[in-house]
Each structure stands twice: as structure tokens, then as C-alpha cells.
Amino acid sequence: MTNTNTGVHEQATQKKEAIVFEQPYIGLYEQHHETIKNHAAPPLNAGRDAEFKKFRNLGFPSSTLENYKYSDFRETLSVDYGLNINRMKFPVNPYNVFKCDVPGIAAYLYFVVNDAFYPVRTEINKSLPDGVIIGSLRDAAMEHPELVSRYYGKLAEKQSDGFAAFNGAFAQDGFFIYVPKNVVLDRPVQIVNIMRSDVDFMANSRNLVIAEEGAKVQVLVCDHTADDVRFFSNRVTEVFVGENAVYEHYKLENVSKKTTDVSTLLIKQAENSNVLANIITLHNGITRNNVEIDLDGEHCETTLCGMALSDQKQALDNFTSILHNKPNCHSTELFKYILDDEAKGGFTGRLYVARDAQKTQAYQTNKNILLNRTAKMRTKPQLEIHADDVKCSHGATIGQLDEKAMFYMRQRGISEKEARMLLMYAFTADVIENIRIDALKDRIKMLVEKRLRGELSKCEGCSIC
Amino acid sequence: MLEIKNLHATVNGKEILKGVDLTVKKGEVHAIMGPNGSGKSTLASVITGNPAFEVTKGKVIYEGVDLLELSPEERAGAGVFLSFQYPVEIPGVSMVNFMRAAINEQRKYRGQEPVSATEFLRLMREKKELVEMDSQLTNRSVNEGFSGGEKKRNEIFQMAMLEPKLAILDETDSGLDIDALRIVANGVNKLKTPENASIVITHYQRLLDYIIPDFVHVLHDGKIIKSGDKSLALELEEKGYDWLK
């Protein structure tokens, strides 16, 4: 009897605690949903109430959920973040204050400040090939409502994730990239997300990328923080990759320790398309990446990889899903973590192979190095294979630096510190090799080396990291 | 150059070296032979400072300094080189970066300037020829995917690059066919000067046909039980080790 009572009491407490986090936002939406909608655009509002209801049911994910058991958001969700539903302008000109310097990359460069696309101030758009649209999602939804409506929310609405639903309810803007049929973008598109606020702040941005049949586009998303307050970014990116299209997505995170970042990347691939997603976390606070790649046509190629260098109390959880829905597709997944101090890492590699997805080839690897006893890594391959003629493999390791290799190098005169550096750098080499933009690859090599040496880990020009 | 006195060492609490005495002078070649498990590789590991081994007693004096007080990299900087019995594969670290780091860190230890890029490339080319090493190998990661013979050749190549004062060759002949053995031995002989010395650890007399030792020592159960000139090696080849016990 006593036990039952305790159980009920605990349940009640948990539920109460959960409501505490969500309640202010639920109240905010109920009171101000008209304002939110007025400052967005009809295509973005179509499913907004449904997403809100979904969020109200789901709440923010807690670590009691199987899919979130490596993440803990309780502390960061207790912060009283401000939201900018009235779309006030933040006093910052990123073109002046920020130089995310990747020498030689010559990218089409754009900024998103918090959750608002920053007006383009350069001539760069004029050099875009005909038909290509890059800009604010809100503006695109006003100017090209049919195009945006055809795609917006189509991947996100299928998710049953509290953060994604929250984003669907609150997001008003973000970036939009449209590359029409057979257009090849000669230069990468670089989107720099800058968090800028004098008070603790939450940004919900929504991004949409459409690469039509035969198109080719490389997108580099850099996450930065410009102030020393608590930030929470909750971003959802939907990407539609058409037949024979090639899409590359690089996420380079270099944000302050006080930042929580939840990024959802949803990619749908049509027949014969080729996708590379590379998620690099150099410096962060608490990060959760939800990546889902849906192979919805035959002969798709997918490479999903990532790496993390974490120390102090940084936490990173990559939750990935590759869905082989059609036959004859090939996917490779590779994630590597180096964790020091009290850093916490999580990796989940879901691999789903549908019943008729014969001749699937899917290879998954997660390797981790813990530099001391207080760092923690939790890794979970999760294969669900319904077809019988497939080649699938998975492997996960957690270990320390190779002592034999250390001694070998020291015997040649290389100091212990330098030998450790070289080994850690080597450990990340195959993820870095999966960058197909040479200028970016060189830059990442340099940033990784600096990070490993404990020197600055931020791009030059970034004021806070 | 090297003076080892009553050296005792353990690994995982088990005593392997039980009082080794050995003196090596400039210009000399010493061969250490002995059956499996006698402590030959342990001796090499202890001289070079492998942290897996613990010295419990004795001294190792190298050019007047207590070698046991130095870290492995300091010993390397002071000119001690080990050709590993099992060279380690280091995926992701290129031979070129590895070699450049090794040379420059050793130079730094000796208070010398880093080697210039052109000088470094010239050295690489010259030393590769010395051991007849395939040019492609230096473009790869350290020892990764190298055959057994290539790994051993790579050890001698590194030795040629680093020009040590005291080289310890641990079973450099194992896993080598006769041609590779000749090339490796030839490399070692070309590197010999009146100023440096080497300790050649081997199982078989075969290598000593190519590298002629001044002294041959038999290590058995953690102690040197017999020393002699090169004829001792031939005698061991004929009679085995049993007659010495």
C-alpha cells in the first residue's frame, strides 16, 4: 500500500514538473497565436495550430523517453527565455560585426540573426543563376506561396517530437533555398546563424531547402553566439532532394557554453540522388541533433557523418535515422567523438530497412575516445531490417588513445602532448575527409587542430565563444 | 656510452629482468640472443622507457646521465632509437608529418633549429634510397597496411632519418625474406660510424651473417649468462641454448 502511494506521488510530481516547463509557452501561444501568425505568412500558418496541439500533448521531451534518454534538458528548460514573436529588430549588422572567415570558400553568404533572416546587403544575389531563390522563408512564403506550401511542413508534420512540434507552433522565419531543375550552384551557400540578445533568449527558426531534379547545391550552416547570455535555439530544417540531385549539408557548430541547441534536420531523397550531411560540433553547451534521412527512391547514395570535440561540461547527443524505404540504396554513417573532462556524448544510429528495400547496403560506425574517467559516452546502434537480401553492418567502440601508438611516437622523440594531439587529429581525419569543399576542409582541419591544442576554437571575428 | 648495472624490471608485477649487466662502447655492435621469454624485448623496452615496464632495481647510465630519469621522448632526443619488433600502425597520421614532427622535436631537444622544407624533402629522398623503400609508402599513414617486410624497412628508414647514437634493433630480422633481410642489414651497416653503437636483438644467427657483431650475449631468464665474440652465435646456432643452462 505504502509503495503504491509513493509511486503515485512520484508520478504526480513528475507530471507537475513537466507542466511547469511547458505552461508559460502554452499560455503564450494561446494568448498570442494571432500575433505569431500575423508576423509569419499563410503557408507557415497552415499547420501551426495542429503543431501546437501536438506540442501540448507531447510536451518537451524528457530523458524518460527512449529516444531522449541520453539528453537532459531540465535545467536549460527552467530558464526564462524571451521570444520575439513581435519580430522586433535586433540592433546588429552581421555584415559589419561578423566575419566567419573560411579563406577561399567564396560562398553565397547569408545571415540569420536569432530566428530572423537578415536582409541581404550585398550584391551577391545578383550573381545567382536564373531561377534560384535564396532568402527569408517568410518572404518566400509571401511571394511564392504555392511553391512553399507544396513542401513546408511535409516532413516535420510526420515527426512526433516535442521540439519539432514546438518549432512548428512558434517558428516565423528562417532561410529558404530553392534550386530549380538542373541548376548547379557553382559556389556553396553559407548560412551563418548568430544568436544575439541582451537577455536570455530562445529562437525557433525554420528552414526549407528544395533542390529539384538534377540540381546541385552545397549548404554550410555555421552556428555562432554573439552574447554571453543563455540561449536556446530550436531549429528545424526540411530538405527535399529531387531525382539525380546532389545535396551537401554541413553543420558547423561553434557556440558558447551557455547555449542549448536543438537542431532537427529532415531530408527526403528521390531516386538516384546523392546526399552528404556532415555535422561537426567544435564547441557547444548542450546540443541535440535529430537527423532523419528518408530514402524514398531507388539508387540513392547517402553519407551521414559527424564529429564532436567536447570538454568541460559540454553535452552532445546525435540521434540519427536513415530510412531505407526503397531497394538498391547505399548509405554510410560515421560519427566520431573525443570527450574530455565531464563531457557527455550520446549517439543513436537508427537504421530502418523496409521489407521491399532489397539490395540495400548500409554501413554504420561510431567510434569514441574518452580522455579521462569522468567523460561519458553512450552509443546505440538500432537496426530494424525487414528485407532479407541486404548488406548492413554496424560497429561502435569506446576507448582511450592507443598506448602503443603513443609510445611509438614518443620513442621517435615526439613529446607526449604532441603525440596525443597527432593521434586525436588522426582520429577525426576520416570525418574531415568527408568534406567535399576544399576550402572548408582546410579550415576545419585548422579549427580542429586549434581546438585540440586548447587554443581558440572559434572562427576569427567571433566575439564570444 | 651505455652502462647497465644489475637491472631488474617487472611487467604487471612479474619480474622479467633479474639483474642484467651490459656495457656498450662507441663504435661497437652487440648482439643479444636468447630463447623466447628470456627478456630480450623487455630489455629494449626498459632502455627506451616504455611505461608498461617498471624498473625495480639497478641503473642505466647513458653518456653520463641516468637514462631512467628521462621520459621516452627525452631519451630519443638524446639519441636512443628502437627499431620495434612490432611497428605500430597509426591510421590518419601521415609518414611525412610523423617524420617531420620527430626530426623537429628531436632538434628542439638538442637546441637546434627546425629543418627546412627543402632539406627535409632531400633527406627523405636520400634515406628512402638507402633502404630501397617504395616512394609511395611515405605518402601513406604510418605503417598502415604495410606488409611485415615494409614495416621493418620503415623502421630502418626512420633510423636513417634520425641518425641515432644508440640503435636497438629488436628482432628486426623476424618476418623478413632473405632479400629484405639483406637490404635491412645493408642499411644498418651503412649507418654505422665510429661514433655510434648498436644492440641487435635476435633469435637466429642468420642476421649476424650480415651485421657482424663485436660481442654476442646470451640472455636467459632475465640475466646475461654468457658473453663472447661472434663465434658464440655460430655455436648457439649449432647447439641451441640448452647446453648453457
Side-chain angles (χ1 to χ4, degrees), chain B residues 16-205:
Chain B
I16 308 289
L17 298 184
K18 300 172 178 173
V20 174
D21 293 284
L22 179 68
T23 303
V24 178
K25 296 198 176 78
K26 273 185 191 175
E28 292 178 349
V29 176
H30 289 246
I32 294 181
M33 303 183 74
N36 283 331
S38 58
K40 303 188 299 292
S41 289
T42 300
L43 181 61
S45 298
V46 169
I47 296 172
T48 49
N50 189 327
F53 297 83
E54 194 189 344
V55 175
T56 49
K57 214 187 211 177
K59 276 187 175 172
V60 180
I61 306 297
Y62 168 79
E63 299 212 303
V65 298
D66 182 355
L67 202 60
L68 300 177
E69 289 295 308
L70 303 183
S71 68
E73 54 269 34
E74 288 169 333
R75 297 180 202 199
V80 180
F81 178 90
L82 172 63
S83 167
F84 283 68
Q85 183 178 4
Y86 303 109
V88 183
E89 296 194 9
I90 314 179
V93 177
S94 74
M95 269 305 295
V96 174
N97 284 345
F98 173 70
M99 232 35 261
R100 191 186 289 126
I103 283 189
N104 284 336
E105 293 242 336
Q106 289 205 12
R107 290 178 70 93
K108 193 163 91 186
Y109 181 80
R110 297 178 202 131
Q112 297 164 320
E113 290 292 307
V115 67
S116 75
T118 45
E119 174 64 9
F120 178 73
L121 290 175
R122 190 192 62 75
L123 264 177
M124 290 279 282
R125 209 166 37 237
E126 184 188 310
K127 305 300 184 183
K128 265 190 289 198
E129 281 169 20
L130 183 78
V131 292
E132 299 176 34
M133 194 158 92
D134 184 350
S135 227
Q136 295 306 311
L137 291 183
T138 49
N139 294 332
R140 302 200 344 220
S141 293
V142 179
N143 291 322
E144 192 186 28
F146 287 26
S147 70
E150 285 167 343
K151 283 179 181 170
K152 293 299 172 75
R153 220 179 273 202
N154 189 19
E155 293 295 289
I156 305 306
F157 164 70
Q158 292 174 45
M159 176 175 151
M161 290 292 288
L162 297 167
E163 298 182 333
K165 288 184 192 161
L166 175 65
I168 303 164
L169 308 177
D170 188 4
E171 306 264 0
T172 298
D173 49 338
S174 67
L176 289 185
D177 62 36
I178 204 76
D179 289 334
L181 183 67
R182 185 184 47 75
I183 291 163
V184 165
N186 194 28
V188 173
N189 288 332
K190 278 186 187 161
L191 295 168
K192 194 182 165 193
T193 72
E195 292 304 308
N196 61 22
S198 36
I199 298 174
V200 180
I201 293 171
T202 183
H203 244 71
Y204 305 107
Q205 193 270 337

Side-chain angles (χ1 to χ4, degrees), chain A residues 402-405 407-418 422-423 425-427 429, chain B residues 48-51 72-73 76 80-82 84 90-93 98 102 105-106 143 155 158:
Chain A
D402 181 353
E403 287 303 321
K404 284 185 179 148
F407 179 65
Y408 189 75
M409 296 171 100
R410 294 176 72 189
Q411 206 301 304
R412 297 302 184 245
I414 299 171
S415 66
E416 189 176 3
K417 195 176 158 214
E418 190 69 17
L422 279 170
L423 284 182
Y425 184 75
F427 179 73
Chain B
T48 49
N50 189 327
E73 54 269 34
V80 180
F81 178 90
L82 172 63
F84 283 68
I90 314 179
V93 177
F98 173 70
E105 293 242 336
Q106 289 205 12
N143 291 322
E155 293 295 289
Q158 292 174 45

